[in-house]
């Protein structure tokens, strides 16, 4: 006899947690991919990982900041990661349940201020990096690999 999962079990496996402040379009948009004419589309598993990043990290960052933050880069397909000279195994690839985003307030001084708040927050990021000249903040997340690594290139 074949044992099939119950409908509720199937639905639980395909349920996405929807971010409060960020759209899928923001999380997958890439000017580079658009200019070069290819799609930067995640698989369902990568999409789930992106949503977990947004719900667990990006939404709380937005609430901590109290104003809009912008996503410079989040999901990257392999081709895009190569084209932007991303590192092999980048968390932007959303593989192995890891995801990353580069965010900005739109202002280097505000990025520095937000970075300092994040260093002391309880937000469950794995990596937190203040980018060169405080132009952006890189943040990553993995539900099962909780290591807080904080660096600054500013």
């Amino acid at each position: 006899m074949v044992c099939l999962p119950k409908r509720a079990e199937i639905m639980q496996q395909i349920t996405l947690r929807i971010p409060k402040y960020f759209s899928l379009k923001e999380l997958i948009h890439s000017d580079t991919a658009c200019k070069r004419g290819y799609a930067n589309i995640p698989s369902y598993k990568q999409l789930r990982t992106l949503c977990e990043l947004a719900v667990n990290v990006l939404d709380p960052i937005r609430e901590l900041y109290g104003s809009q933050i912008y996503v410079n880069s989040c999901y990257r397909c392999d081709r895009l990661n190569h084209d932007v000279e991303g590192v092999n195994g980048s968390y932007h690839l959303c593989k192995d349940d890891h995801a990353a985003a580069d965010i900005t307030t739109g202002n280097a001084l505000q990025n520095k201020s937000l970075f300092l708040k994040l260093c002391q927050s309880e937000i469950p990021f794995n990596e937190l990096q203040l980018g060169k000249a405080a132009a952006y903040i890189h943040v990553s997340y993995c539900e099962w690999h909780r290591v807080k690594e904080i660096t600054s290139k500013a």
Side-chain angles (χ1 to χ4, degrees):
M1 175 161 78
V2 176
C3 183
L4 297 174
K6 295 178 183 171
R7 178 176 163 77
E9 291 172 358
I10 294 171
M11 293 307 292
Q12 184 177 7
Q13 291 176 12
I14 64 169
T15 301
L16 290 176
R17 294 179 63 200
I18 304 300
K20 187 174 180 179
Y21 299 106
F22 298 90
S23 68
L24 175 59
K25 184 177 178 179
E26 285 177 281
L27 300 177
I28 68 171
H29 176 76
S30 166
D31 288 339
T32 301
C34 289
K35 286 176 189 171
R36 296 185 182 187
Y38 58 87
N40 184 47
I41 306 296
S43 68
Y44 177 77
K45 184 175 181 184
Q46 290 167 318
L47 179 60
R48 265 186 52 202
T49 302
L50 279 173
C51 287
E52 290 301 312
L53 168 73
V55 168
N56 291 299
V57 178
L58 299 179
D59 281 347
I61 289 173
R62 165 63 175 80
E63 289 175 351
L64 177 69
Y65 183 58
S67 189
Q68 186 170 359
I69 58 174
Y70 306 92
V71 176
N72 289 343
S73 176
C74 194
Y75 172 72
R76 297 178 191 158
C77 64
D78 289 321
R79 181 175 176 186
L80 176 59
N81 195 57
H82 177 267
D83 287 352
V84 299
E85 299 178 4
V87 298
N88 287 335
S90 169
Y91 287 175
H92 288 278
L93 296 167
C94 296
K95 294 183 178 176
D96 301 319
D97 300 324
H98 289 84
D102 296 335
I103 59 173
T104 184
T105 63
N107 174 299
L109 288 176
Q110 289 298 312
N111 285 348
K112 284 182 184 179
S113 175
L114 178 57
F115 176 79
L116 294 174
K117 286 180 184 179
L118 289 171
C119 288
Q120 298 180 5
S121 76
E122 296 297 319
I123 295 172
F125 59 81
N126 286 55
E127 296 174 327
L128 180 66
Q129 253 177 19
L130 184 60
K132 191 174 181 180
Y136 64 92
I137 298 168
H138 171 86
V139 63
S140 74
Y141 173 78
C142 177
E143 186 174 352
W144 55 266
H145 184 243
R146 297 271 174 91
V147 177
K148 283 199 170 191
E149 183 179 313
I150 301 172
T151 57
S152 175
K153 296 180 181 179

